[in-house]
């Protein structure tokens, strides 16, 4: 392995139904990570860069221009040290991801969070049902190798703290592993 590729940080996808805590986790992880990580909130990125085809008023959601989104993300992801925070992950090429974290939340808690966010009722219902049906978890498991997909509960602050500590441990192990293979090569 070249020293250039070994010095790159990992690419961590944090996914889950809206409201499960992706952005909260990503922000804390940026603070606690032993190596610098860039947090890309993909929904915000799409809006900022205009990477959508249309906006649906009724559902209050954007139809993303997926090809343009992938083109914009490619150089950022290639540089490494990135957290991709989005409610879906199957779009991202498998080669991008070093770790895929799927956050899970009890559906009644999730309902409250989405209500607080001011989502229309049918959007709350749709997301709640998706969480119950494990849609995002299935998507992650069918898109990436089983060893890199981790399902984590995100219902309270203790979960947030222990999840982030666990990801930090994973980053340390990932880094140690790279350093070892670099010495060996
Ligand atoms: P997402 O980015 O998945 O849409 P978020 O990070 O914006 O979700 O979180 C939605 C709300 O829920 C926000 O008010 C923070 C809260 N929340 C999420 N995960 C939590 C946790 N593990 N403990 C306490 N609050 C949490």
């Amino acid at each position: 392995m070249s020293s250039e590729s070994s010095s790159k940080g990992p690419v961590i996808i944090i996914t889950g139904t809206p409201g499960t805590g992706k952005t909260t986790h990503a922000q804390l992880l940026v603070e606690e990570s032993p190596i610098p990580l860039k947090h890309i909130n993909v929904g915000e990125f799409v809006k900022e860069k205009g990477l959508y085809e249309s906006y649906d008023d009724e559902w209050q959601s954007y139809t993303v221009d997926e090809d343009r989104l992938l083109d914009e993300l490619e150089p950022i992801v290639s540089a490494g040290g990135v957290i991709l925070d989005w409610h879906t992950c199957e779009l991202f090429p498998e080669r991008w991801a070093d770790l895929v974290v799927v956050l899970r939340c009890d559906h009644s808690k999730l309902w409250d969070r989405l209500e607080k966010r001011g989502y229309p009722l049918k959007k709350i219902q749709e997301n709640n049902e998706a969480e119950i049906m494990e849609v995002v978890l299935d998507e992650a498991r069918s898109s990436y190798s089983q060893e890199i997909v981790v399902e984590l509960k995100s219902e309270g602050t203790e979960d947030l703290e222990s999840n982030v500590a666990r990801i930090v441990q994973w980053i340390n192990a990932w880094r140690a592993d790279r350093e070892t293979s670099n010495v060996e090569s």
Side-chain angles (χ1 to χ4, degrees):
M1 182 184 288
S2 75
S3 58
E4 194 194 353
S5 61
S6 68
S7 65
K8 275 193 208 170
V11 176
I12 301 172
I13 296 174
I14 301 186
T15 191
T17 309
T20 47
K22 301 178 291 295
T23 300
T24 311
H25 277 71
Q27 285 168 343
L28 187 61
L29 182 57
V30 165
E31 282 172 31
E32 311 238 316
S33 173
I35 50 178
L37 292 176
K38 188 181 168 78
H39 170 203
I40 308 279
N41 179 326
V42 178
E44 294 297 322
F45 187 80
V46 163
K47 278 191 249 172
E48 277 163 26
K49 304 236 169 215
L51 305 172
Y52 49 85
E53 287 157 358
S54 58
Y55 178 74
D56 187 322
D57 263 335
E58 197 186 350
W59 285 92
Q60 296 183 11
S61 64
Y62 290 89
T63 304
V64 174
D65 184 335
E66 297 184 348
D67 290 340
R68 283 179 60 219
L69 172 61
L70 291 177
D71 287 349
E72 288 278 345
L73 286 176
E74 177 79 53
I76 300 171
V77 169
S78 300
V82 179
I83 306 168
L84 294 173
D85 151 9
W86 209 22
H87 58 80
T88 178
C89 63
E90 63 188 354
L91 176 69
F92 304 136
E94 195 180 352
R95 67 185 156 80
W96 280 10
D98 294 299
L99 178 69
V100 180
V101 174
V102 183
L103 297 179
R104 303 299 312 280
C105 182
D106 166 73
H107 66 94
S108 59
K109 272 204 176 80
L110 187 67
W111 187 287
D112 292 345
R113 288 181 190 171
L114 296 179
E115 209 165 41
K116 278 204 190 100
R117 196 177 262 188
Y119 272 12
L121 181 61
K122 64 186 205 169
K123 197 165 162 176
I124 299 179
Q125 282 167 336
E126 190 206 35
N127 282 309
N128 217 53
E129 200 170 306
E131 182 59 17
I132 293 166
M133 302 295 288
E134 308 194 327
V135 171
V136 183
L137 182 63
D138 280 354
E139 193 185 279
R141 286 188 174 147
S142 58
S143 306
Y144 300 94
S145 128
Q146 299 310 299
E147 303 85 73
I148 70 163
V149 177
V150 186
E151 178 188 9
L152 297 175
K153 180 162 76 106
S154 167
E155 292 175 1
T157 315
E158 1 29 272
D159 298 326
L160 168 67
E161 283 162 6
S162 67
N163 292 341
V164 169
R166 195 166 154 185
I167 302 170
V168 165
Q169 264 182 7
W170 176 89
I171 294 172
N172 284 327
W174 181 90
R175 190 165 60 164
D177 194 41
R178 300 281 136 150
E179 277 160 14
T180 313
S181 43
N182 207 27
V183 170
E184 283 167 1
S185 63

